Amino acid sequence: MTVTDRNIVLAGATSASGLAVARALVDAGARVVATGRSSERLQPLADAGADIEVADATSLDDMTALAARLGSVDGVISLVGGWRGGGGLAGQSDDDFHALLPALEAVRATSRAFDGALRAADAGRYAIVSSTAVARPLAGGANYAAVKAASEAWTRAVAQGYAKAARDADEPLRAASVVFRAKALDPASLAPAVLALWDTDAAELNDRIIDLA
């Protein structure tokens, strides 16, 4: 398998990580569709060779409409993130919690909207970026760790859904759902990890948590 000629959606791609992943995928011969809520912030991705779509990755309506327009999709990488915290447990404000929730909302929206397309692909891949804070949550980052833990749980449920659908259809597993974990995300480490998703069979890859050292 190879990522060449694959159709890959980068949802919430206007970060440095989104740009690095887009460049790596384009260089590898993939067609990249990058989403964001600002056409201005999407321009660097267009300059890198990606197709751009002004769409909200946290909106099921937006993602469902995008999935319908694109049709065949081989991969969806959810990149909505951000960090807010500090101040110990007393500092875990409701405002900070609600500011972090879009990361989970994007995982829910993108996985649901593209579920059919990824299961239909010959090598569908769904991935999110999480944090090592899930394994060792700290009081000052409790909001953040909780949102990341919920995102991981949802992504693992997606993996179980892929496995069950293949089993019920008596077909080989072709789709895989994966969690990338990083302590401090380095775009240079994320990009090759995304490309490598198409180097491994879905049965070996599905429901894996991959540390980005």
Tab-separated table of all heavy atoms in Angstrom, residues 73-74 111-112 114-125 158-166 169 171-176:
chain	number	residue	atom	x	y	z
A	73	VAL	N	-13.083	8.956	-0.174
A	73	VAL	CA	-12.094	9.487	0.769
A	73	VAL	C	-11.335	8.315	1.382
A	73	VAL	O	-11.934	7.318	1.797
A	73	VAL	CB	-12.774	10.318	1.881
A	73	VAL	CG1	-11.777	10.706	2.959
A	73	VAL	CG2	-13.412	11.572	1.289
A	74	ASP	N	-10.017	8.437	1.425
A	74	ASP	CA	-9.173	7.365	1.962
A	74	ASP	C	-8.664	7.644	3.363
A	74	ASP	O	-8.172	6.727	4.035
A	74	ASP	CB	-7.960	7.147	1.053
A	74	ASP	CG	-8.373	6.766	-0.360
A	74	ASP	OD1	-8.879	5.651	-0.545
A	74	ASP	OD2	-8.212	7.607	-1.275
A	111	SER	N	-15.629	11.883	12.342
A	111	SER	CA	-15.724	10.419	12.292
A	111	SER	C	-17.107	9.966	11.847
A	111	SER	O	-17.245	8.991	11.101
A	111	SER	CB	-15.381	9.808	13.651
A	111	SER	OG	-16.278	10.251	14.658
A	112	ARG	N	-18.127	10.671	12.268
A	112	ARG	CA	-19.493	10.311	11.874
A	112	ARG	C	-19.740	10.643	10.403
A	112	ARG	O	-20.310	9.832	9.658
A	112	ARG	CB	-20.505	11.039	12.761
A	112	ARG	CG	-20.459	10.593	14.215
A	112	ARG	CD	-21.118	11.601	15.136
A	112	ARG	NE	-22.567	11.644	14.962
A	112	ARG	CZ	-23.327	12.623	15.426
A	112	ARG	NH1	-22.782	13.662	16.060
A	112	ARG	NH2	-24.630	12.583	15.249
A	114	PHE	N	-17.688	10.937	7.881
A	114	PHE	CA	-16.899	10.183	6.902
A	114	PHE	C	-16.884	8.686	7.170
A	114	PHE	O	-16.124	7.953	6.523
A	114	PHE	CB	-15.459	10.721	6.875
A	114	PHE	CG	-15.337	12.080	6.264
A	114	PHE	CD1	-15.325	13.222	7.062
A	114	PHE	CD2	-15.262	12.240	4.888
A	114	PHE	CE1	-15.223	14.487	6.494
A	114	PHE	CE2	-15.163	13.499	4.308
A	114	PHE	CZ	-15.141	14.625	5.116
A	115	ASP	N	-17.714	8.225	8.073
A	115	ASP	CA	-17.710	6.809	8.441
A	115	ASP	C	-17.935	5.903	7.224
A	115	ASP	O	-17.181	4.955	6.992
A	115	ASP	CB	-18.781	6.540	9.497
A	115	ASP	CG	-18.784	5.096	9.956
A	115	ASP	OD1	-17.772	4.637	10.514
A	115	ASP	OD2	-19.812	4.414	9.757
A	116	GLY	N	-18.961	6.183	6.447
A	116	GLY	CA	-19.263	5.341	5.292
A	116	GLY	C	-18.164	5.349	4.255
A	116	GLY	O	-17.786	4.303	3.715
A	117	ALA	N	-17.626	6.528	3.977
A	117	ALA	CA	-16.571	6.640	2.966
A	117	ALA	C	-15.317	5.888	3.387
A	117	ALA	O	-14.680	5.208	2.568
A	117	ALA	CB	-16.245	8.116	2.718
A	118	LEU	N	-14.934	5.990	4.662
A	118	LEU	CA	-13.716	5.324	5.111
A	118	LEU	C	-13.890	3.810	5.163
A	118	LEU	O	-12.954	3.057	4.857
A	118	LEU	CB	-13.298	5.863	6.479
A	118	LEU	CG	-12.842	7.331	6.488
A	118	LEU	CD1	-12.537	7.793	7.905
A	118	LEU	CD2	-11.625	7.523	5.594
A	119	ARG	N	-15.071	3.351	5.528
A	119	ARG	CA	-15.308	1.898	5.523
A	119	ARG	C	-15.368	1.350	4.103
A	119	ARG	O	-15.041	0.181	3.872
A	119	ARG	CB	-16.580	1.566	6.290
A	119	ARG	CG	-16.417	1.704	7.794
A	119	ARG	CD	-17.568	1.118	8.584
A	119	ARG	NE	-18.793	1.877	8.464
A	119	ARG	CZ	-19.856	1.505	7.776
A	119	ARG	NH1	-19.856	0.367	7.101
A	119	ARG	NH2	-20.938	2.270	7.724
A	120	ALA	N	-15.761	2.178	3.138
A	120	ALA	CA	-15.847	1.731	1.745
A	120	ALA	C	-14.496	1.751	1.042
A	120	ALA	O	-14.309	1.071	0.032
A	120	ALA	CB	-16.839	2.606	0.980
A	121	ALA	N	-13.545	2.521	1.555
A	121	ALA	CA	-12.231	2.632	0.912
A	121	ALA	C	-11.455	1.326	1.060
A	121	ALA	O	-11.692	0.547	1.987
A	121	ALA	CB	-11.444	3.778	1.535
A	122	ASP	N	-10.517	1.105	0.158
A	122	ASP	CA	-9.725	-0.129	0.269
A	122	ASP	C	-8.690	-0.043	1.385
A	122	ASP	O	-8.157	-1.055	1.835
A	122	ASP	CB	-9.056	-0.478	-1.058
A	122	ASP	CG	-7.977	0.509	-1.472
A	122	ASP	OD1	-7.996	1.649	-0.974
A	122	ASP	OD2	-7.124	0.143	-2.300
A	123	ALA	N	-8.411	1.174	1.853
A	123	ALA	CA	-7.508	1.362	2.993
A	123	ALA	C	-7.877	2.666	3.689
A	123	ALA	O	-7.138	3.641	3.648
A	123	ALA	CB	-6.057	1.375	2.547
A	124	GLY	N	-9.043	2.698	4.327
A	124	GLY	CA	-9.504	3.902	4.997
A	124	GLY	C	-8.764	4.105	6.315
A	124	GLY	O	-8.527	3.148	7.059
A	125	ARG	N	-8.412	5.328	6.588
A	125	ARG	CA	-7.678	5.626	7.810
A	125	ARG	C	-8.283	6.857	8.490
A	125	ARG	O	-8.494	7.891	7.854
A	125	ARG	CB	-6.191	5.904	7.524
A	125	ARG	CG	-5.454	4.731	6.868
A	125	ARG	CD	-5.276	3.577	7.832
A	125	ARG	NE	-4.501	2.491	7.278
A	125	ARG	CZ	-5.027	1.415	6.681
A	125	ARG	NH1	-6.356	1.308	6.567
A	125	ARG	NH2	-4.240	0.450	6.229
A	158	VAL	N	-14.668	4.229	17.364
A	158	VAL	CA	-14.670	4.189	15.895
A	158	VAL	C	-13.957	2.924	15.415
A	158	VAL	O	-14.418	2.230	14.502
A	158	VAL	CB	-13.994	5.448	15.317
A	158	VAL	CG1	-13.823	5.340	13.806
A	158	VAL	CG2	-14.808	6.692	15.653
A	159	ALA	N	-12.830	2.602	16.044
A	159	ALA	CA	-12.081	1.402	15.673
A	159	ALA	C	-12.929	0.147	15.864
A	159	ALA	O	-12.937	-0.750	15.002
A	159	ALA	CB	-10.805	1.311	16.513
A	160	GLN	N	-13.652	0.081	16.967
A	160	GLN	CA	-14.513	-1.085	17.200
A	160	GLN	C	-15.623	-1.148	16.154
A	160	GLN	O	-15.994	-2.235	15.681
A	160	GLN	CB	-15.105	-1.019	18.612
A	160	GLN	CG	-15.810	-2.292	19.064
A	160	GLN	CD	-17.258	-2.379	18.597
A	160	GLN	OE1	-17.895	-1.347	18.350
A	160	GLN	NE2	-17.788	-3.587	18.467
A	161	GLY	N	-16.132	0.013	15.763
A	161	GLY	CA	-17.154	0.043	14.726
A	161	GLY	C	-16.644	-0.481	13.393
A	161	GLY	O	-17.348	-1.229	12.692
A	162	TYR	N	-15.413	-0.106	13.036
A	162	TYR	CA	-14.825	-0.616	11.801
A	162	TYR	C	-14.690	-2.130	11.861
A	162	TYR	O	-15.010	-2.840	10.893
A	162	TYR	CB	-13.438	-0.004	11.576
A	162	TYR	CG	-13.410	1.462	11.228
A	162	TYR	CD1	-12.227	2.192	11.365
A	162	TYR	CD2	-14.527	2.134	10.759
A	162	TYR	CE1	-12.168	3.540	11.040
A	162	TYR	CE2	-14.484	3.477	10.441
A	162	TYR	CZ	-13.293	4.182	10.587
A	162	TYR	OH	-13.243	5.509	10.269
A	163	ALA	N	-14.193	-2.634	12.984
A	163	ALA	CA	-13.981	-4.073	13.121
A	163	ALA	C	-15.304	-4.832	13.076
A	163	ALA	O	-15.406	-5.878	12.425
A	163	ALA	CB	-13.244	-4.361	14.424
A	164	LYS	N	-16.319	-4.306	13.736
A	164	LYS	CA	-17.622	-4.975	13.752
A	164	LYS	C	-18.258	-4.983	12.365
A	164	LYS	O	-18.837	-5.996	11.936
A	164	LYS	CB	-18.555	-4.291	14.747
A	164	LYS	CG	-19.914	-4.975	14.887
A	164	LYS	CD	-20.780	-4.283	15.906
A	164	LYS	CE	-22.068	-5.061	16.144
A	164	LYS	NZ	-22.877	-5.224	14.918
A	165	ALA	N	-18.158	-3.851	11.660
A	165	ALA	CA	-18.743	-3.792	10.311
A	165	ALA	C	-18.090	-4.804	9.385
A	165	ALA	O	-18.772	-5.482	8.599
A	165	ALA	CB	-18.587	-2.383	9.746
A	166	ALA	N	-16.768	-4.932	9.469
A	166	ALA	CA	-16.072	-5.905	8.633
A	166	ALA	C	-16.466	-7.327	9.019
A	166	ALA	O	-16.702	-8.188	8.147
A	166	ALA	CB	-14.564	-5.720	8.763
A	169	ALA	N	-19.981	-8.194	7.865
A	169	ALA	CA	-20.055	-8.359	6.413
A	169	ALA	C	-19.208	-9.543	5.933
A	169	ALA	O	-19.201	-9.833	4.733
A	169	ALA	CB	-19.587	-7.088	5.719
A	171	GLU	N	-16.018	-9.683	5.744
A	171	GLU	CA	-15.012	-9.124	4.850
A	171	GLU	C	-13.748	-8.814	5.647
A	171	GLU	O	-13.799	-8.645	6.871
A	171	GLU	CB	-15.529	-7.816	4.208
A	171	GLU	CG	-16.709	-8.007	3.283
A	171	GLU	CD	-17.202	-6.681	2.715
A	171	GLU	OE1	-16.733	-5.620	3.215
A	171	GLU	OE2	-18.040	-6.697	1.805
A	172	PRO	N	-12.615	-8.722	4.972
A	172	PRO	CA	-11.397	-8.322	5.688
A	172	PRO	C	-11.503	-6.885	6.177
A	172	PRO	O	-12.177	-6.054	5.561
A	172	PRO	CB	-10.295	-8.478	4.638
A	172	PRO	CG	-11.002	-8.401	3.320
A	172	PRO	CD	-12.357	-9.001	3.543
A	173	LEU	N	-10.847	-6.583	7.273
A	173	LEU	CA	-10.832	-5.230	7.805
A	173	LEU	C	-9.981	-4.346	6.906
A	173	LEU	O	-8.807	-4.643	6.666
A	173	LEU	CB	-10.265	-5.237	9.231
A	173	LEU	CG	-10.206	-3.887	9.954
A	173	LEU	CD1	-11.605	-3.306	10.143
A	173	LEU	CD2	-9.505	-4.044	11.291
A	174	ARG	N	-10.574	-3.269	6.414
A	174	ARG	CA	-9.842	-2.359	5.522
A	174	ARG	C	-9.678	-0.961	6.112
A	174	ARG	O	-8.876	-0.183	5.624
A	174	ARG	CB	-10.562	-2.274	4.171
A	174	ARG	CG	-10.598	-3.580	3.380
A	174	ARG	CD	-11.145	-3.343	1.976
A	174	ARG	NE	-12.529	-2.916	2.015
A	174	ARG	CZ	-13.583	-3.739	1.925
A	174	ARG	NH1	-13.380	-5.049	1.797
A	174	ARG	NH2	-14.820	-3.278	1.958
A	175	ALA	N	-10.456	-0.648	7.135
A	175	ALA	CA	-10.388	0.687	7.750
A	175	ALA	C	-9.751	0.585	9.129
A	175	ALA	O	-9.926	-0.408	9.837
A	175	ALA	CB	-11.779	1.297	7.861
A	176	ALA	N	-9.010	1.610	9.502
A	176	ALA	CA	-8.353	1.635	10.804
A	176	ALA	C	-8.495	3.012	11.436
A	176	ALA	O	-8.394	4.031	10.752
A	176	ALA	CB	-6.874	1.275	10.666
